[in-house]
Amino acid sequence: MKRIVYREWRLAPQRYWGLLAILAVVAGLGGLAFAYMEHEGHWVTGMTNQVVWGTPHVFAVFLIVAASGALNVASIGSVFGKTLYKPLARLSGLLAIALLAGGLLVLVLDLGRPDRLVVAMTTYNFRSIFAWNIFLYTGFMVIVIAYLWTMVERKGHPYTKPVGFFAFVWRLALTTGTGSIFGFLVARQAYDTAVMAPLFIAMSFAYGLAIFLLILLFALDQDGRPIGKFVLFRLRNLLGIFIGAVLFLVVIYFLTKLYGAKNYDLVAFYLADGGIYTILFWFVWILAGSLFPLGILFHPELSKSRAWIASACGLTVVGGLASMYVIIIGGQAFPMQLFPGKTILESGFYDGVGGAAAAYAPSLPEILLGIGGVAVALLITAVGIRVLQFLPESLADRDVVDHHVVRV
Amino acid sequence: MTTNKHKERVDTSRRGFLGAAAVVTTVTVAPGVVLHRLAVAEPRSEAVTSDVRWGMLIDSTKCAEGCDACVTACNRENGLDLQKQPKGEDADQQKKWDRQAAKWIRIVKVKDNLTGHESRLPMMCQHCEHPPCVDVCPTGASFKRADGIVMVDRHTCIGCRYCMMACPYKARSFIHETVDTKLTRAPRGKGCVESCNLCVHRRDNGTPSTACADACAAQGQGAILFGDLKDPEGPLMKKLTTLSSRQIREDLALDTGVRYAGV
């Protein structure tokens, strides 16, 4: 393997500033949406006392989950010693930080009292997995920055492996924490299961890698850097395995729920009669967001096309957002089982009368805030690879693979 | 030997300025300090103790069809009737607002799937001994008092709504709108979560019972009995020992402070 040379992203200034301007406008719209919701209160959103976490949480959790997954490429390189992945490690670390920052921003700006962030940073209840997550998230940022330093600074090289290992363990803890936000909720049938943690870890692997691949392919393509089949196909196969892992855990989730008679209604809600949630589950998450990408990634011909691989990544991202919507909004819309064995005939507080699901329709400001978070993540990435040497000059097979290993 | 005949005149303008500044500062700050001292009320002389545990028994067989006196009384007692729909008069907006407005107590009517037996009962915060809302709150704003009352500290609530996700009774409400008018005894602010606190101001002022229990009794129903779960001689415990009662979602083993009979 040759020495890897990293260079700043050399996109023509016009294109680069154009890209930044577009992202800044989208992020700015997100900011305006926040200002509007903060000024008026959450009544302008689709959120209610029944569906208390709305579209911003869909984006925020998606970005946070994807952030830890984006770091995987670096982990495979330095923790598991796969030298092939090492040239990708810097981008992997940067993307992890950027996605986390975008996700956290959305999460914080959707608080009822975002002005009290300092309270959240100084007053803790350690029985709360939320409080632990505050440390897991900020710790992740610090550790990944240290990890990046060991990669880019010659003096830091000896520490790359231990710091990388630490970052890997931390990211597993982080996603476990994020999944457990839902897993620990005994009140709601859709959650209250330990499988949420591994499910979220598998999701992070898949969504993080899909976003990583999309950004990598775009960035390399824009300034004409080569990427060889060997690297690309490895990442492609990995994405396929991760999507498969998510599907496996989704099956486990439903089997677990289906085994107890008390959850028959919940499973039927998700799989058969849940309206928008059933449609999103089958058609967007499972079909378009998992099975289609799998079909592409393992197709004998399509899997060799860069455009098709990118499409598979895009579909995985769309499926990922749908999965979050189904889990977060659908899980709340499904009526809580206040009186097992009884049907609620009347209620002054929308307690699922006759088993009816709670109504929720995302509002424009919520969507803009969520997309604004995505734009912030992309802005950080775009600036990062422009000003720092994060992108390898070439990922061509001859530059990154030992010759005797190449068998494409 | 030479003497310094030419003595420089000292410029006193700085001293003057400092002196004036000191006077202005004192005049500005002093009234504030004095007023602040006066304004800080005498702290309640006795801390809340765990010698009592406030709770309720709700006899759903006495809950009369068509009556919502408890809901109305709670709304008035805790200023919930002061909530105003911010904007928008169309039907969709109003429907959404009805789902967004805070409610501390509501009437629920249920039918047994097998027997068809119907019960009607008021639902509110169940004041659990092991409240999930307290466990999940990242800042500790959701807390349980020594006397068993579960409530929200509105100074540290950041409005994350995790307690609302965690509550098995859907007892909590988020304040979705800017609040113009509120009662001193029931402070309320946009972006915080709140729920039934067993009329905590009455507890602290030594007033007996709760607004809902009083209203129910005034209607002649007497379906809501408020009292101390630690007092074996009190009316609540006496009733609980003779009447078969249950907890809602007792499978969760939260040891609720609100018990139900006839459900």
Short mmCIF file of all heavy atoms in Angstrom, two decimals, chain B residues 183-222:
data_model
loop_
_atom_site.label_atom_id
_atom_site.label_comp_id
_atom_site.label_asym_id
_atom_site.label_seq_id
_atom_site.Cartn_x
_atom_site.Cartn_y
_atom_site.Cartn_z
N LEU B 183 -52.99 31.75 37.71
CA LEU B 183 -53.23 31.96 39.14
C LEU B 183 -51.91 31.88 39.90
O LEU B 183 -51.03 31.11 39.52
CB LEU B 183 -54.19 30.90 39.67
CG LEU B 183 -55.55 30.81 38.97
CD1 LEU B 183 -56.35 29.66 39.56
CD2 LEU B 183 -56.31 32.12 39.13
N THR B 184 -51.81 32.64 40.97
CA THR B 184 -50.59 32.60 41.77
C THR B 184 -50.36 31.21 42.33
O THR B 184 -49.24 30.73 42.41
CB THR B 184 -50.71 33.59 42.94
OG1 THR B 184 -51.28 34.79 42.45
CG2 THR B 184 -49.36 33.89 43.55
N ARG B 185 -51.46 30.55 42.69
CA ARG B 185 -51.30 29.24 43.32
C ARG B 185 -50.97 28.13 42.31
O ARG B 185 -50.58 27.04 42.71
CB ARG B 185 -52.57 28.86 44.08
CG ARG B 185 -53.82 28.77 43.22
CD ARG B 185 -54.99 28.25 44.02
NE ARG B 185 -56.20 28.18 43.22
CZ ARG B 185 -57.23 29.00 43.34
NH1 ARG B 185 -57.20 29.97 44.21
NH2 ARG B 185 -58.29 28.85 42.56
N ALA B 186 -51.17 28.42 41.03
CA ALA B 186 -50.86 27.42 40.01
C ALA B 186 -50.09 28.06 38.86
O ALA B 186 -50.64 28.35 37.81
CB ALA B 186 -52.15 26.78 39.49
N PRO B 187 -48.80 28.32 39.08
CA PRO B 187 -48.01 28.98 38.03
C PRO B 187 -47.95 28.11 36.78
O PRO B 187 -47.96 26.88 36.87
CB PRO B 187 -46.63 29.14 38.66
CG PRO B 187 -46.59 28.18 39.80
CD PRO B 187 -47.99 28.00 40.25
N ARG B 188 -47.91 28.77 35.65
CA ARG B 188 -47.96 28.02 34.39
C ARG B 188 -47.13 28.79 33.38
O ARG B 188 -47.18 30.01 33.34
CB ARG B 188 -49.42 27.91 33.94
CG ARG B 188 -49.65 27.33 32.55
CD ARG B 188 -51.11 26.90 32.37
NE ARG B 188 -51.41 25.84 33.32
CZ ARG B 188 -52.34 25.92 34.27
NH1 ARG B 188 -53.05 27.01 34.39
NH2 ARG B 188 -52.53 24.91 35.09
N GLY B 189 -46.36 28.06 32.57
CA GLY B 189 -45.56 28.76 31.56
C GLY B 189 -45.39 27.93 30.31
O GLY B 189 -45.31 26.71 30.36
N LYS B 190 -45.33 28.63 29.18
CA LYS B 190 -45.14 27.97 27.89
C LYS B 190 -43.90 27.08 27.92
O LYS B 190 -42.85 27.48 28.43
CB LYS B 190 -44.97 29.04 26.81
CG LYS B 190 -44.70 28.50 25.42
CD LYS B 190 -44.46 29.62 24.42
CE LYS B 190 -43.07 30.21 24.59
NZ LYS B 190 -42.83 31.34 23.69
N GLY B 191 -44.03 25.89 27.38
CA GLY B 191 -42.86 25.03 27.20
C GLY B 191 -42.55 24.12 28.38
O GLY B 191 -41.52 23.44 28.36
N CYS B 192 -43.38 24.13 29.42
CA CYS B 192 -43.15 23.23 30.55
C CYS B 192 -44.27 22.19 30.63
O CYS B 192 -45.32 22.36 30.04
CB CYS B 192 -43.07 23.99 31.86
SG CYS B 192 -41.54 24.88 32.05
N VAL B 193 -44.00 21.14 31.39
CA VAL B 193 -44.96 20.06 31.54
C VAL B 193 -45.59 20.18 32.93
O VAL B 193 -44.93 20.64 33.87
CB VAL B 193 -44.26 18.70 31.37
CG1 VAL B 193 -45.21 17.56 31.66
CG2 VAL B 193 -43.71 18.57 29.95
N GLU B 194 -46.84 19.79 33.05
CA GLU B 194 -47.50 19.83 34.35
C GLU B 194 -48.55 18.74 34.44
O GLU B 194 -48.90 18.10 33.44
CB GLU B 194 -48.12 21.21 34.57
CG GLU B 194 -49.10 21.63 33.48
CD GLU B 194 -49.68 23.00 33.71
OE1 GLU B 194 -48.91 23.93 33.92
OE2 GLU B 194 -50.93 23.12 33.69
N SER B 195 -49.02 18.52 35.65
CA SER B 195 -50.07 17.52 35.86
C SER B 195 -50.67 17.74 37.24
O SER B 195 -50.20 18.58 38.02
CB SER B 195 -49.50 16.11 35.75
OG SER B 195 -48.45 15.94 36.67
N CYS B 196 -51.67 16.94 37.56
CA CYS B 196 -52.34 16.99 38.86
C CYS B 196 -51.31 16.91 39.97
O CYS B 196 -50.43 16.04 39.96
CB CYS B 196 -53.32 15.83 38.97
SG CYS B 196 -53.77 15.40 40.66
N ASN B 197 -51.41 17.82 40.95
CA ASN B 197 -50.48 17.77 42.09
C ASN B 197 -51.26 17.67 43.40
O ASN B 197 -50.80 18.12 44.44
CB ASN B 197 -49.53 18.97 42.09
CG ASN B 197 -50.27 20.29 41.99
OD1 ASN B 197 -51.44 20.37 42.39
ND2 ASN B 197 -49.61 21.30 41.46
N LEU B 198 -52.45 17.07 43.30
CA LEU B 198 -53.33 16.89 44.46
C LEU B 198 -53.55 18.22 45.18
O LEU B 198 -53.52 18.29 46.40
CB LEU B 198 -52.74 15.84 45.43
CG LEU B 198 -52.77 14.39 44.93
CD1 LEU B 198 -52.12 13.46 45.95
CD2 LEU B 198 -54.17 13.91 44.62
N CYS B 199 -53.75 19.27 44.39
CA CYS B 199 -53.96 20.63 44.93
C CYS B 199 -52.89 20.94 45.98
O CYS B 199 -53.22 21.21 47.15
CB CYS B 199 -55.37 20.77 45.49
SG CYS B 199 -56.63 20.71 44.21
N VAL B 200 -51.66 20.92 45.54
CA VAL B 200 -50.53 21.02 46.48
C VAL B 200 -50.55 22.31 47.29
O VAL B 200 -50.11 22.34 48.44
CB VAL B 200 -49.20 20.84 45.71
CG1 VAL B 200 -48.90 22.07 44.87
CG2 VAL B 200 -48.06 20.51 46.64
N HIS B 201 -51.13 23.37 46.70
CA HIS B 201 -51.21 24.64 47.46
C HIS B 201 -52.11 24.47 48.68
O HIS B 201 -51.90 25.08 49.71
CB HIS B 201 -51.73 25.75 46.54
CG HIS B 201 -53.00 25.38 45.84
ND1 HIS B 201 -53.02 24.63 44.69
CD2 HIS B 201 -54.30 25.64 46.13
CE1 HIS B 201 -54.27 24.46 44.30
NE2 HIS B 201 -55.08 25.06 45.16
N ARG B 202 -53.12 23.63 48.52
CA ARG B 202 -53.99 23.37 49.67
C ARG B 202 -53.22 22.60 50.76
O ARG B 202 -53.40 22.85 51.95
CB ARG B 202 -55.20 22.53 49.24
CG ARG B 202 -56.18 23.26 48.34
CD ARG B 202 -57.44 22.44 48.25
NE ARG B 202 -58.46 23.08 47.45
CZ ARG B 202 -59.75 22.81 47.57
NH1 ARG B 202 -60.16 21.91 48.45
NH2 ARG B 202 -60.64 23.40 46.80
N ARG B 203 -52.39 21.66 50.31
CA ARG B 203 -51.60 20.90 51.30
C ARG B 203 -50.72 21.86 52.08
O ARG B 203 -50.65 21.82 53.30
CB ARG B 203 -50.70 19.87 50.62
CG ARG B 203 -51.37 18.84 49.69
CD ARG B 203 -52.18 17.82 50.45
NE ARG B 203 -53.43 18.36 50.96
CZ ARG B 203 -54.50 18.67 50.21
NH1 ARG B 203 -54.45 18.49 48.92
NH2 ARG B 203 -55.59 19.16 50.75
N ASP B 204 -50.04 22.74 51.32
CA ASP B 204 -49.08 23.62 51.97
C ASP B 204 -49.75 24.69 52.83
O ASP B 204 -49.15 25.20 53.77
CB ASP B 204 -48.16 24.27 50.91
CG ASP B 204 -47.29 23.22 50.24
OD1 ASP B 204 -47.16 22.12 50.81
OD2 ASP B 204 -46.75 23.50 49.17
N ASN B 205 -51.00 25.01 52.48
CA ASN B 205 -51.70 26.01 53.28
C ASN B 205 -52.56 25.38 54.37
O ASN B 205 -53.28 26.07 55.08
CB ASN B 205 -52.60 26.89 52.38
CG ASN B 205 -51.75 27.71 51.43
OD1 ASN B 205 -50.61 28.06 51.76
ND2 ASN B 205 -52.28 28.01 50.26
N GLY B 206 -52.51 24.06 54.43
CA GLY B 206 -53.27 23.38 55.48
C GLY B 206 -54.75 23.29 55.21
O GLY B 206 -55.55 23.02 56.11
N THR B 207 -55.16 23.52 53.93
CA THR B 207 -56.58 23.38 53.59
C THR B 207 -56.88 21.91 53.33
O THR B 207 -56.12 21.25 52.64
CB THR B 207 -56.90 24.19 52.30
OG1 THR B 207 -56.21 25.44 52.40
CG2 THR B 207 -58.38 24.39 52.13
N PRO B 208 -57.95 21.38 53.84
CA PRO B 208 -58.22 19.96 53.62
C PRO B 208 -58.71 19.67 52.21
O PRO B 208 -59.19 20.56 51.51
CB PRO B 208 -59.32 19.65 54.65
CG PRO B 208 -60.01 20.94 54.87
CD PRO B 208 -58.98 22.02 54.68
N SER B 209 -58.58 18.40 51.81
CA SER B 209 -59.14 17.86 50.58
C SER B 209 -58.61 18.50 49.28
O SER B 209 -57.71 19.34 49.30
CB SER B 209 -60.67 17.97 50.63
OG SER B 209 -61.24 17.15 49.65
N THR B 210 -59.20 18.08 48.19
CA THR B 210 -58.81 18.63 46.88
C THR B 210 -60.06 19.19 46.22
O THR B 210 -61.18 18.87 46.62
CB THR B 210 -58.24 17.52 45.97
OG1 THR B 210 -59.26 16.52 45.78
CG2 THR B 210 -57.01 16.88 46.56
N ALA B 211 -59.84 19.98 45.18
CA ALA B 211 -60.98 20.62 44.51
C ALA B 211 -61.91 19.57 43.92
O ALA B 211 -63.14 19.70 44.02
CB ALA B 211 -60.46 21.55 43.41
N CYS B 212 -61.33 18.51 43.32
CA CYS B 212 -62.18 17.51 42.67
C CYS B 212 -63.01 16.74 43.70
O CYS B 212 -64.20 16.49 43.49
CB CYS B 212 -61.34 16.57 41.83
SG CYS B 212 -60.02 15.71 42.72
N ALA B 213 -62.37 16.38 44.81
CA ALA B 213 -63.09 15.62 45.84
C ALA B 213 -64.21 16.47 46.43
O ALA B 213 -65.33 15.99 46.64
CB ALA B 213 -62.12 15.17 46.93
N ASP B 214 -63.91 17.75 46.69
CA ASP B 214 -64.94 18.66 47.23
C ASP B 214 -66.12 18.78 46.28
O ASP B 214 -67.28 18.72 46.69
CB ASP B 214 -64.34 20.05 47.46
CG ASP B 214 -63.45 20.09 48.70
OD1 ASP B 214 -63.41 19.06 49.42
OD2 ASP B 214 -62.79 21.12 48.92
N ALA B 215 -65.80 18.95 44.99
CA ALA B 215 -66.86 19.15 43.99
C ALA B 215 -67.72 17.90 43.90
O ALA B 215 -68.95 17.97 43.79
CB ALA B 215 -66.25 19.48 42.64
N CYS B 216 -67.07 16.74 43.94
CA CYS B 216 -67.79 15.47 43.83
C CYS B 216 -68.73 15.29 45.03
O CYS B 216 -69.88 14.86 44.89
CB CYS B 216 -66.81 14.32 43.73
SG CYS B 216 -67.55 12.75 43.26
N ALA B 217 -68.21 15.68 46.19
CA ALA B 217 -69.02 15.57 47.41
C ALA B 217 -70.19 16.55 47.35
O ALA B 217 -71.32 16.21 47.73
CB ALA B 217 -68.16 15.84 48.63
N ALA B 218 -69.92 17.75 46.84
CA ALA B 218 -70.97 18.77 46.77
C ALA B 218 -72.10 18.32 45.85
O ALA B 218 -73.25 18.69 46.04
CB ALA B 218 -70.38 20.09 46.27
N GLN B 219 -71.77 17.52 44.84
CA GLN B 219 -72.78 16.99 43.93
C GLN B 219 -73.57 15.85 44.56
O GLN B 219 -74.50 15.34 43.97
CB GLN B 219 -72.10 16.46 42.65
CG GLN B 219 -71.52 17.53 41.74
CD GLN B 219 -72.62 18.35 41.08
OE1 GLN B 219 -73.59 17.80 40.58
NE2 GLN B 219 -72.49 19.67 41.13
N GLY B 220 -73.10 15.42 45.72
CA GLY B 220 -73.78 14.32 46.39
C GLY B 220 -73.27 12.96 46.00
O GLY B 220 -73.77 11.94 46.48
N GLN B 221 -72.27 12.93 45.10
CA GLN B 221 -71.73 11.65 44.63
C GLN B 221 -70.81 11.03 45.67
O GLN B 221 -70.93 9.87 46.04
CB GLN B 221 -70.91 11.85 43.35
CG GLN B 221 -71.59 11.62 42.02
CD GLN B 221 -72.83 12.44 41.78
OE1 GLN B 221 -73.87 12.08 42.31
NE2 GLN B 221 -72.73 13.51 41.02
N GLY B 222 -69.84 11.83 46.08
CA GLY B 222 -68.84 11.35 47.02
C GLY B 222 -68.02 10.20 46.47
O GLY B 222 -67.64 9.28 47.21
#
